Amino acid sequence: MKLFIDTADLKEIREIASWGIIEGATTNPTLISQQEGHPHEILRQICEIVNGPVSAEVVSQDCEGMVEEARELSKIHKHIVIKIPFGIEGLKAVKKLSEEGIRTNVTLVFSPSQALMAARAGASFISPFVGRLDDISNNGMEIVAQIVDIFNNYPDIKTQVIVASIRHPMHVVEAALIGAPIATVPPKVLRQMVKHPLTDIGIERFLKDWEKVKDRLK
Ligand code: E4P
């Protein structure tokens, strides 16, 4: 499973990209609103750091507006993928954009039927929101598993699932066990994934023992 970073925070993206584990990034209007500066400039800089798809979301409500915005956003950088909120207007926009060769990521997907429709409209990616489903007492990962199964049943579907709205490391592990191709993970969770107390204790013990051998190197 590939790991994307789910933030618009350039400092975090720069730092975590240097770990060598990030293959894409996702943003949304909320994440962009938390940063200073022109949204297009933020997106351009993310694209310079991350060598992979970078999702930029449209805010128009109708197909025409979405397509117009998408054309503008895709001029920012070749890494840009257009995030389109799920809905009838969104499906129409995805169809049109796929015909123009503009990649899309259909967002706010909460059911397998929505995922299937987005795929058939020609979405390059779809983003089911696990955490937000869990928040309302639904099993978000069960929905992801069903979507992955459906897409695997039909090899002509080339749409990739990006597991989104991830809240903790177990979401990432579960997504990988299901066989989801991509998870987009907030910096906080990526940092939690690094940590294991036994790794820290192990390093401490090795360094302590090495002290006893150090003199022999002279
Ligand atoms: C990414 O594509 C989504 O916009 C993001 O994961 C949503 O996360 P949230 O539900 O924590 O806001």
Side-chain angles (χ1 to χ4, degrees):
M1 185 175 74
K2 289 182 181 173
L3 296 173
F4 286 12
I5 189 163
D6 192 22
T7 184
D9 183 331
L10 289 168
K11 200 165 156 247
E12 285 285 49
I13 295 173
R14 218 167 270 124
E15 163 58 22
I16 294 171
S18 77
W19 303 354
I21 54 152
I22 297 300
E23 296 185 73
T26 50
T27 68
N28 62 34
T30 305
L31 294 171
I32 296 276
S33 76
Q34 291 160 357
Q35 306 303 317
E36 299 284 330
H38 193 293
H40 290 190
E41 182 50 24
I42 298 170
L43 288 163
R44 194 193 59 75
Q45 289 196 46
I46 298 173
C47 290
E48 292 293 330
I49 305 166
V50 175
N51 192 18
V54 173
S55 290
E57 191 159 338
V58 298
V59 289
S60 297
Q61 300 293 300
D62 62 309
C63 168
E64 210 173 289
M66 288 178 188
V67 169
E68 232 168 80
E69 259 189 83
R71 288 181 188 140
E72 280 311 303
L73 286 168
S74 50
K75 283 181 198 155
I76 294 173
H77 198 281
K78 63 176 194 296
H79 291 163
I80 292 286
V81 167
I82 308 302
K83 231 181 178 190
I84 307 270
F86 184 85
I88 292 171
E89 291 303 301
L91 289 172
K92 290 189 222 166
V94 168
K95 179 80 188 157
K96 193 146 183 37
L97 292 168
S98 77
E99 284 164 1
E100 290 183 21
I102 294 178
R103 292 181 297 168
T104 54
N105 171 6
V106 175
T107 188
L108 294 168
V109 167
F110 293 99
S111 73
S113 54
Q114 290 180 330
L116 180 61
M117 282 193 278
R120 287 307 179 199
S124 320
F125 304 93
I126 58 122
S127 294
F129 276 31
V130 171
R132 292 195 198 185
L133 279 163
D134 289 356
D135 287 345
I136 58 156
S137 305
N138 282 2
N139 186 338
M141 212 46 82
E142 214 167 270
I143 301 296
V144 173
Q146 289 172 0
I147 295 170
V148 169
D149 275 355
I150 290 169
F151 285 11
N152 286 341
N153 283 345
Y154 302 98
D156 64 312
I157 293 181
K158 304 292 178 218
T159 310
Q160 294 190 68
V161 177
I162 304 180
V163 182
S165 188
I166 281 188
R167 299 280 159 80
H168 49 71
M170 278 314 291
H171 272 156
V172 181
V173 173
E174 286 164 22
L177 285 170
I178 283 167
I182 303 160
T184 188
V185 188
K188 181 181 160 230
V189 179
L190 288 165
R191 288 182 194 285
Q192 288 172 327
M193 287 164 67
V194 172
K195 278 284 171 200
H196 197 292
L198 291 178
T199 306
D200 297 342
I201 292 168
I203 289 172
E204 203 183 321
R205 197 172 297 162
F206 284 150
L207 291 177
K208 208 168 144 223
D209 289 341
W210 193 248
E211 283 298 312
K212 300 172 202 159
V213 199
K214 246 166 76 183
D215 284 350
R216 290 188 231 153
L217 290 168
K218 287 175 186 162

